[in-house]
Amino acid sequence: MREAVGSFVGWPSDLIFPDAETPTRPTHKAGKGISRRIESVASQKEVPGRKLKSAAKDIPTTSGTKSQIMMRLEKMVAESDIMHGAIRSIDFDEGVFGAAHFEIITKEDMQQLFEHDELGIAVIHTYIWYMYVTLMRGTELCNRFNFIAASRINATLITKNPTSVKNDLVDRFMAAGDNTTPSLYFLPFNSGNGGHWVLVAMDLSRLIVYYLDSLSGDWSKYPSMKKTVDAAIIKFRSKKNYRNRKDITWVRVQCPQQNNSVDCGFFVLRFMRDIIALNRIDIPQMYFEEYKSYSRAHLDEMKDELCQFIVDQRII
């Protein structure tokens, strides 16, 4: 990582938030650095959407440039032991993925954020944690939106053991209650080996699966994924003794499209962010009027939110 740019800048007080499975890599690097476990201590009684909307309005981002909070975090990383091979092991709230989960953060993950590079699972998961803590935890939104870990359900694992992946997906459905009222399960799905990200959003009560892809095409590109999702939904409903009143309906949403080869992960995160912020279970086929397209500023805004969150949670 190149030497950090800029120096420490005091962050406005109204933007400082007092809130205080499976790793993305198969093994810890023995003898290299430390493993620091971090527990979130944010308030359990936040007003839904308050923090996220405040951040969206106030964070001073100029498209394509690095903000003060990003430069501050980049400097912290440059001066930390992460630059010498250390890692951070972060404990997530169990509510994020329905079970205990920890994530491994390394220098390479931070570089993806700083350099606007293709996103890996660690950054995807950490931003999901941010959304859960900032927007959902302790509110009724936890009953309306659920996340599925991308490290458990992806193209690589489906190819190796589709039955195990199907059962993991059923277990996630079972962990969230009866699912008789409308809610969405968000699955950030990766095509494998650091490939393309798409968002699969499942409404189990109405047997609707929304497919959001920032490139052209539909779920036919990933037939094994569709087969696994359909089989998991059917098995879940059978275990719950629900009647399959109709076939599962897949809907390709005409969502914003990326114009480069690296933004798919950012777009998937932005899809989830906007759906939660709007508190919408039903996703219009032509997407939301508020967000017909995403500019670079929309993506930079998310990076700044995550940088502030990482600083607040003392991950570095």
Side-chain angles (χ1 to χ4, degrees):
M1 184 184 298
R2 68 172 181 269
E3 186 176 347
V5 179
S7 58
F8 179 86
V9 178
W11 192 241
S13 60
D14 61 327
L15 294 183
I16 297 176
F17 306 148
D19 302 343
E21 178 296 304
T22 305
T24 59
R25 294 166 183 76
T27 59
H28 293 254
K29 297 180 181 180
K32 298 187 71 175
I34 61 173
S35 178
R36 179 185 302 163
R37 293 196 171 272
I38 304 170
E39 296 283 357
S40 174
V41 293
S43 167
Q44 302 289 314
K45 298 181 180 179
E46 295 296 341
V47 178
R50 180 176 62 83
K51 287 184 179 178
L52 189 58
K53 292 177 181 178
S54 173
K57 181 179 70 173
D58 297 334
I59 287 179
T61 300
T62 301
S63 178
T65 65
K66 292 184 179 180
S67 66
Q68 293 177 344
I69 187 59
M70 179 174 288
M71 289 190 292
R72 175 185 173 186
L73 179 59
E74 193 171 18
K75 185 173 187 292
M76 291 170 62
V77 171
E79 295 173 349
S80 75
D81 55 0
I82 287 181
M83 293 301 297
H84 306 289
I87 63 173
R88 298 293 185 266
S89 178
I90 312 167
D91 287 327
F92 283 19
D93 307 61
E94 288 193 9
V96 178
F97 294 122
H101 180 91
F102 73 92
E103 202 64 57
I104 302 296
I105 301 293
T106 69
K107 175 181 69 174
E108 290 74 22
D109 300 314
M110 301 307 300
Q111 287 176 324
Q112 293 168 11
L113 187 61
F114 299 148
E115 304 304 325
H116 197 91
D117 204 352
E118 297 180 27
L119 297 184
I121 286 179
V123 177
I124 295 285
H125 282 177
T126 305
Y127 190 82
I128 286 174
W129 181 37
Y130 157 76
M131 288 190 291
Y132 177 84
V133 170
T134 303
L135 190 60
M136 294 172 53
R137 191 172 61 184
T139 77
E140 73 278 2
L141 294 179
C142 287
N143 298 321
R144 292 173 62 79
F145 302 104
N146 304 277
F147 300 105
I148 299 168
S151 52
R152 303 293 297 275
I153 316 291
N154 55 62
T156 301
L157 294 179
I158 290 174
T159 300
K160 292 179 178 179
N161 195 337
T163 300
S164 176
V165 173
K166 178 189 68 176
N167 291 335
D168 279 346
L169 194 50
V170 172
D171 289 343
R172 178 65 183 103
F173 296 155
M174 296 292 289
D178 60 12
N179 293 287
T180 56
T181 57
S183 63
L184 284 181
Y185 285 83
F186 292 123
L187 169 60
F189 180 80
N190 190 269
S191 62
N193 298 318
H196 182 55
W197 289 99
V198 302
L199 179 63
V200 179
M202 295 160 272
D203 182 343
L204 303 186
S205 67
R206 297 185 297 172
L207 293 178
I208 297 175
V209 179
Y210 299 99
Y211 180 88
L212 293 87
D213 189 344
S214 56
L215 294 177
S216 59
D218 61 18
W219 53 84
S220 62
K221 294 189 293 185
Y222 311 112
S224 60
M225 178 272 289
K226 182 180 184 299
K227 181 179 179 180
T228 300
V229 168
D230 286 347
I233 293 174
I234 292 170
K235 182 174 180 179
F236 164 75
R237 293 184 65 86
S238 175
K239 293 184 70 168
K240 285 289 191 176
N241 294 317
Y242 297 152
R243 292 183 179 181
N244 288 320
R245 298 162 297 174
K246 58 180 180 180
D247 293 334
I248 300 169
T249 300
W250 283 66
V251 177
R252 181 176 182 268
V253 177
Q254 303 295 319
C255 54
Q257 299 289 284
Q258 67 189 85
N259 59 8
N260 58 32
S261 62
V262 302
D263 277 350
C264 56
F266 292 102
F267 272 61
V268 163
L269 294 177
R270 187 79 200 198
F271 294 151
M272 291 187 286
R273 179 194 190 278
D274 292 340
I275 293 166
I276 295 170
L278 293 171
N279 196 8
R280 291 285 298 273
I281 300 299
D282 58 316
I283 305 174
Q285 189 168 2
M286 301 306 296
Y287 206 55
F288 304 108
E289 288 295 332
E290 296 90 337
Y291 301 106
K292 286 297 186 181
S293 64
Y294 292 146
S295 67
R296 175 61 184 267
H298 284 105
L299 310 185
D300 288 345
E301 179 181 54
M302 292 192 306
K303 292 191 294 184
D304 289 346
E305 291 168 350
L306 186 53
C307 286
Q308 183 69 60
F309 183 71
I310 290 171
V311 170
D312 291 342
Q313 297 295 323
R314 299 180 177 86
I315 292 174
I316 303 304

